[in-house]
């Protein structure tokens, strides 16, 4: 987001993918998200922690942005 300015009002849909893995015997979860306006992808972020993803879901619910899995 630092290099590119995105107008949040254009955001219609966020698609996410949950990624689970094991490192040194511990389970780690992260998410990859992509934001869309109609058919065009505006951004893609990977390595989102579950805490940050929860905040993104709350924001989407507040702004009436659809969120679904890929």
């Amino acid at each position: 987001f630092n290099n590119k300015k995105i107008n949040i009002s254009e955001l219609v849909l966020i698609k996410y993918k949950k990624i689970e893995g094991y490192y040194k015997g511990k389970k780690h979860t992260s998410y990859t998200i992509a934001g869309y306006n109609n058919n065009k992808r505006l951004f893609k972020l990977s390595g989102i922690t579950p805490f940050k993803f929860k905040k993104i879901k709350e924001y989407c619910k507040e702004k009436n942005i659809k969120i679904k899995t890929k």
Side-chain angles (χ1 to χ4, degrees):
F1 287 119
N2 294 337
N3 297 332
K4 188 177 182 181
K5 290 187 179 183
I6 296 172
N7 189 357
I8 298 297
S9 64
E10 295 177 359
L11 196 61
V12 175
L13 171 69
I14 290 185
K15 291 184 180 180
Y16 71 93
K17 182 177 180 182
K18 185 177 182 180
I19 301 166
E20 294 181 336
Y22 290 90
Y23 180 71
K24 294 187 177 181
K26 293 185 179 181
K27 185 177 180 181
H28 294 279
T29 303
S30 66
Y31 295 88
T32 299
I33 64 170
Y36 293 88
N37 70 341
N38 298 329
N39 295 328
K40 184 180 176 189
R41 185 172 78 185
L42 297 174
F43 65 88
K44 182 177 180 181
L45 298 170
S46 59
I48 305 294
T49 63
F51 177 75
K52 289 181 182 178
F53 184 69
K54 182 180 176 185
K55 294 288 185 184
I56 291 169
K57 283 178 70 173
E58 290 173 1
Y59 179 81
C60 290
K61 187 175 182 180
E62 179 182 307
K63 299 293 183 178
N64 295 327
I65 298 170
K66 294 179 185 177
I67 187 165
K68 66 179 187 176
T69 61
K70 288 186 177 180

